[in-house]
Amino acid sequence: MATPSMEDYLEKIYKLIDEKGYARVSDIAEGLEVHPSSVTKMIQKLDKDKYLVYEKYRGLVLTSKGKKMGKRLVDRHQLLEEFLVLIGVSDDTVYKDVEGIEHHLSWDSITCIETLIEYFRRDPSRATELHKLKAELDAE
């Protein structure tokens, strides 16, 4: 089972590979605001746990296990962002809040949030009503 720190690395690596076609230690370090030596240690751990294959000075490649987990983590992050926006959390708070909660929710809770978002998608007037209610409560 991946730790929250491992999840952060896998998510960042997956996104970098998706966006650029590769993930370098320096890019990962910059994106996670950590030292390159920390990235190297984590990459070695992820290699040992079969999430990726790492060859010193040659780069890294996600395994199918790593790709599956990386995609799942990116999807979870996007889902939580969408949920927080839907319920009216301010844009400048959303990213920080997602980072704070994403590792503390069970996959069952994530599935329930996904169902709730689908409920609002099927009838956009529901979201309008939610925002009206929030505005009323904020005014009190």
Side-chain angles (χ1 to χ4, degrees), residues 46-72:
L46 292 169
D47 185 17
K48 181 178 166 260
D49 290 350
K50 310 261 190 269
Y51 288 104
L52 55 82
V53 176
Y54 174 65
E55 293 181 27
K56 197 171 183 178
Y57 307 116
R58 297 192 49 98
L60 59 93
V61 177
L62 288 171
T63 62
S64 59
K65 176 182 176 181
K67 286 178 189 173
K68 182 178 177 184
M69 179 61 91
K71 179 169 179 7
R72 190 174 187 197

Side-chain angles (χ1 to χ4, degrees), residues 5-94:
S5 181
M6 291 168 74
E7 288 183 349
D8 285 340
Y9 278 85
L10 281 169
E11 182 179 356
K12 177 55 69 180
I13 291 166
Y14 182 87
K15 285 172 75 173
L16 284 167
I17 291 173
D18 188 50
E19 292 166 8
K20 298 170 85 170
Y22 59 89
R24 296 182 314 201
V25 168
S26 58
D27 295 328
I28 299 165
E30 181 181 326
L32 294 176
E33 299 178 351
V34 297
H35 293 288
S37 60
S38 299
V39 174
T40 301
K41 286 178 189 173
M42 181 58 79
I43 285 174
Q44 291 168 344
K45 182 168 179 44
L46 292 169
D47 185 17
K48 181 178 166 260
D49 290 350
K50 310 261 190 269
Y51 288 104
L52 55 82
V53 176
Y54 174 65
E55 293 181 27
K56 197 171 183 178
Y57 307 116
R58 297 192 49 98
L60 59 93
V61 177
L62 288 171
T63 62
S64 59
K65 176 182 176 181
K67 286 178 189 173
K68 182 178 177 184
M69 179 61 91
K71 179 169 179 7
R72 190 174 187 197
L73 295 169
V74 167
D75 290 349
R76 174 183 72 184
H77 189 100
Q78 291 170 340
L79 178 77
L80 290 172
E81 281 186 5
E82 186 177 353
F83 173 67
L84 293 180
V85 168
L86 174 73
I87 62 172
V89 174
S90 65
D91 290 342
D92 58 332
T93 306
V94 169

